[in-house]
Amino acid sequence: MNCFWSAPLLVSLLGAPPELPKSFDLTAVDTYIAGQVKAKGFVGLSVAVMRDGKIVFAKGYGQRSIEKNLPVEPGTSFAVGSITKQFTCACVLLLAEQGKLSIDDPVSKYYPNLTRAKDITLRDLMNHTAGYPDYYPLDFVDRRMLKPISTDALLKEYAGGKLDFEPGARFSYSNTGYILLGGVVEKVSGASFGTFVETRLLKPLKMEHARFGSSAGLSAATGYTAFALGAPEPAEPEAGGWIDAAGGLWASASDLLQWDLALTTGKVLKPESYKVMTAPRTLTTGKVSNYACGLQIATVDGNTVLEHTGGVSGFVSANTFIPRARTGIVVLSNTEHVSTSKLRGELFRLLLKDVEARDVPPVPKVAGVGPKEAVLGLIEEMTGGKVDRTKLGEEYSVYLTDERVKTGGARLKALGAPEKVEVRGTYERGGMEVATVILTYKTATVRALLYRTPDGKIQQLLYYAE
């Protein structure tokens, strides 16, 4: 059960999918996803999008059950695998806020018989820097995991032997550490891990389609797998005890976006705890790991992005969120043999493009004629030797002396009439409309940069040789 799980790409035998939209237009995106589900052979898919703190898109595609011919609906719950880890870390930090533990407590305080328990902290477990071997490094359920196992037995087997590396020296993804964290939560809280998660996180946040450990009572998807491009068949789930605090959560796509918003806006943890949860880890070697506590921290086009993927038997998931914009996307699939990586990457880039576009100040609406007409009008006045200064801003009118009108007008007149005039684009600066106008003459090309205030007055018109 890897954090960055990726199944082999299924070769489409169902025809070419529709083209990716050029913007995050919800209707076009819906059509694109539906086409991808059909073309790539997904059994089922659920996608939800949040913009500015509001869920603006939540839709299911394909089937949650082939055998029962049931569709994926917006409220369908999926096993979300390793996305569970951020909930596990939040539980640990909540207990730390109550003074019941410290994330720098040594493992020996709770499990004294484990390897190097005095040298490994809870923080190491959350950051995947403890060195305990991962009990689930593969992407299929092997014979071990078909039989139930207790937490103590799992930890004795996988945290009671040789370490993979010195504690704190490396990042290496390990589900073992998260099973251990779940055990710590139980010992400290006196409740089962599932009860603690549900009473402290899922119910208060009204995650109505979320449960821990079991999909009982939910409208849940069945997980499917296939081998070597074969037909999908129900996947054999991991037996009891094998995923728990490392990957035992069920949720809908919208549930996870509600979680993202609550976590990043201070409704789950205190500011100092959230800072810990999202802080990259500096290793003993001086190298920095961008895996914080149950979250991968990335910087994309200047935006901090919180993300995590998940994979358990029959399911893959991805949760990506941009805290400053309160915007994110969740993609859940019950088809472990078809990769969602390309699709979710494409959708996230479109969403990020939308976020960036909303950051750009709108171009002011300017009274009067358009940029092309304004430039040609002033050029005509200059070549005629007389300018209507009521159309000019005060400073530009002072700058545009009679001498400049005379000499500049003569040079422009010598070029003759432009053969082509093109507005290359407009943007906002200082509350003004800025327009670039390209004038193509027989013997020269001139770039005119026009600044106008909303009242239509020209505050600048300068000319540059192209």
Side-chain angles (χ1 to χ4, degrees), residues 399-445:
Y399 173 84
L400 192 62
T401 61
D402 289 341
E403 180 63 21
R404 280 188 167 130
V405 169
K406 179 180 178 181
T407 57
R411 287 189 291 271
L412 291 170
K413 186 174 184 179
L415 294 173
E419 297 177 344
K420 182 180 179 182
V421 181
E422 178 186 6
V423 179
R424 284 281 175 86
T426 60
Y427 60 91
E428 181 274 345
R429 183 173 181 185
M432 295 177 285
E433 172 206 68
V434 180
T436 300
V437 180
I438 305 299
L439 302 109
T440 304
Y441 296 91
K442 186 174 182 179
T443 59
T445 300

Side-chain angles (χ1 to χ4, degrees), residues 371-421:
K372 175 181 175 180
E373 291 74 20
V375 169
L376 290 176
L378 188 53
I379 288 176
E380 183 179 0
E381 291 181 5
M382 287 181 63
T383 56
K386 188 175 182 180
V387 171
D388 181 357
R389 295 186 177 274
T390 64
K391 298 178 182 178
L392 309 182
E394 182 179 354
E395 289 303 318
Y396 185 58
S397 182
V398 172
Y399 173 84
L400 192 62
T401 61
D402 289 341
E403 180 63 21
R404 280 188 167 130
V405 169
K406 179 180 178 181
T407 57
R411 287 189 291 271
L412 291 170
K413 186 174 184 179
L415 294 173
E419 297 177 344
K420 182 180 179 182
V421 181

Side-chain angles (χ1 to χ4, degrees), residues 163-430:
L163 296 183
D164 284 344
F165 51 85
E166 271 298 299
R170 281 173 45 194
F171 164 87
S172 183
Y173 195 85
S174 177
N175 291 286
T176 305
Y178 275 77
I179 296 295
L180 208 168
L181 288 169
V184 170
V185 170
E186 292 188 339
K187 286 176 180 287
V188 173
S189 69
S192 71
F193 183 77
T195 297
F196 192 86
V197 170
E198 293 200 11
T199 56
R200 295 298 301 274
L201 296 176
L202 306 186
K203 289 181 180 178
L205 296 178
K206 295 182 171 54
M207 296 174 65
E208 298 177 355
H209 307 287
R211 300 284 188 281
F212 179 80
S214 170
S215 62
L218 299 173
S219 175
T222 298
Y224 291 90
T225 189
F227 181 69
L229 310 184
E233 57 187 65
E236 184 78 21
E238 299 86 351
W242 281 104
I243 54 176
D244 289 359
L249 184 68
W250 290 77
S252 70
S254 294
D255 281 330
L256 293 178
L257 287 174
Q258 288 175 229
W259 159 255
D260 293 335
L261 183 64
L263 178 66
T264 57
T265 56
K267 293 181 174 59
V268 177
L269 299 171
K270 294 178 180 178
E272 55 269 28
S273 298
Y274 177 73
K275 185 177 180 180
V276 168
M277 187 164 174
T278 55
R281 173 66 181 267
T282 300
L283 306 176
T284 57
T285 61
K287 184 177 179 180
V288 175
S289 165
N290 286 324
Y291 193 98
C293 297
L295 290 166
Q296 183 79 15
I297 313 300
T299 301
V300 184
D301 294 342
N303 295 280
T304 297
V305 178
L306 308 182
E307 56 186 350
H308 212 289
T309 58
V312 288
S313 185
F315 295 90
V316 291
S317 56
N319 180 15
T320 309
F321 201 74
I322 306 170
R324 75 164 186 88
R326 299 186 301 162
T327 294
I329 184 167
V330 172
V331 178
L332 307 177
S333 171
N334 62 341
T335 318
E336 73 171 6
H337 52 285
V338 182
S339 174
T340 63
S341 297
K342 183 173 185 292
L343 174 61
R344 60 185 172 82
E346 291 171 337
L347 295 178
F348 175 70
R349 285 189 290 274
L350 285 179
L351 189 59
L352 183 61
K353 182 179 178 182
D354 180 70
V355 168
E356 295 298 313
R358 284 182 282 133
D359 282 342
V360 176
V363 179
K365 186 175 181 180
V366 173
V369 299
K372 175 181 175 180
E373 291 74 20
V375 169
L376 290 176
L378 188 53
I379 288 176
E380 183 179 0
E381 291 181 5
M382 287 181 63
T383 56
K386 188 175 182 180
V387 171
D388 181 357
R389 295 186 177 274
T390 64
K391 298 178 182 178
L392 309 182
E394 182 179 354
E395 289 303 318
Y396 185 58
S397 182
V398 172
Y399 173 84
L400 192 62
T401 61
D402 289 341
E403 180 63 21
R404 280 188 167 130
V405 169
K406 179 180 178 181
T407 57
R411 287 189 291 271
L412 291 170
K413 186 174 184 179
L415 294 173
E419 297 177 344
K420 182 180 179 182
V421 181
E422 178 186 6
V423 179
R424 284 281 175 86
T426 60
Y427 60 91
E428 181 274 345
R429 183 173 181 185

